[in-house]
Amino acid sequence: MCSRHRQHNRVLSVHALTTNVTGHFAYFSEELSLKNYQTAVLYLLFILSFLAGAFVSNILIEIFSRIKPLLSYTVPMAMEIIILTSIGIFGKADSISNFNGEFIACNLLFAMGLQNSLVTKASQSVVRTTHLTGLFTDLGIELSQLFFYRKANETQQLRANIF
């Protein structure tokens, strides 16, 4: 991470914000425009970690709703609990290197994607997240639905939504 961002994030043990995706897009764009490609790739990795969490959450919900409907929300929630508990136990703040901090940030963003997708599906999109975070939650959900929608009109509408 560039020194300017590291100074702002020094109070955080992982040296990276993990509260939303919108800020990471701003940082990604800034670092790209400054030709700091290594840092830009890191922010892109943070964004993709969140997207992967939303994708995995919805794919698990879809699979389990067909196999064991009572477990459809339990599996992504259990994954989130395992990730957060593991970080709490093994992610000691005093031993966090930059790489370890970036790894933890990716896992926290993945867990946030899991959670946002889970809440969006469970509330049938009544509880919405905001800005690019919500957009990426929806994108992760819709990408995972490509594996389940088989009717031509559903797939066509889904692809249009994704685009």
Side-chain angles (χ1 to χ4, degrees):
M1 228 188 296
C2 74
S3 61
R4 189 171 99 245
H5 292 133
R6 201 174 287 123
Q7 289 172 347
H8 291 296
N9 298 330
R10 199 163 302 280
V11 298
L12 304 173
S13 63
V14 295
H15 303 287
L17 296 171
T18 57
T19 57
N20 64 63
V21 174
T22 307
H24 291 301
F25 266 101
Y27 286 141
F28 170 73
S29 300
E30 179 184 27
E31 296 302 330
L32 207 55
S33 71
L34 295 172
K35 296 183 177 30
N36 295 332
Y37 299 117
Q38 186 175 358
T39 306
V41 167
L42 176 62
Y43 285 116
L44 182 61
L45 183 62
F46 289 165
I47 293 164
L48 293 175
S49 294
F50 176 89
L51 178 63
F55 176 86
V56 167
S57 180
N58 194 68
I59 216 155
L60 290 170
I61 291 168
E62 291 288 342
I63 289 169
F64 278 92
S65 68
R66 288 163 170 70
I67 300 170
K68 286 201 168 214
L70 293 175
L71 293 178
S72 62
Y73 298 122
T74 306
V75 176
M77 195 178 309
M79 278 184 73
E80 183 181 1
I81 290 168
I82 290 167
I83 291 169
L84 296 177
T85 302
S86 297
I87 291 170
I89 293 170
F90 301 112
K92 297 180 194 169
D94 58 344
S95 67
I96 292 181
S97 66
N98 270 351
F99 174 75
N100 194 24
E102 293 159 358
F103 177 76
I104 290 172
C106 284
N107 279 285
L108 289 172
L109 285 158
F110 181 87
M112 188 173 77
L114 285 169
Q115 175 67 22
N116 281 13
S117 182
L118 178 70
V119 169
T120 298
K121 289 295 283 189
S123 72
Q124 298 175 1
S125 299
V126 173
V127 177
R128 300 298 302 144
T129 53
T130 59
H131 309 324
L132 289 172
T133 306
L135 182 68
F136 262 66
T137 300
D138 292 344
L139 182 59
I141 289 169
E142 289 171 347
L143 285 170
S144 73
Q145 288 175 338
L146 284 173
F147 293 98
F148 299 99
Y149 288 167
R150 298 291 180 233
K151 294 179 184 172
N153 63 334
E154 290 176 338
T155 303
Q156 185 178 9
Q157 179 60 47
L158 190 57
R159 287 176 194 237
N161 289 350
I162 290 169
F163 180 73

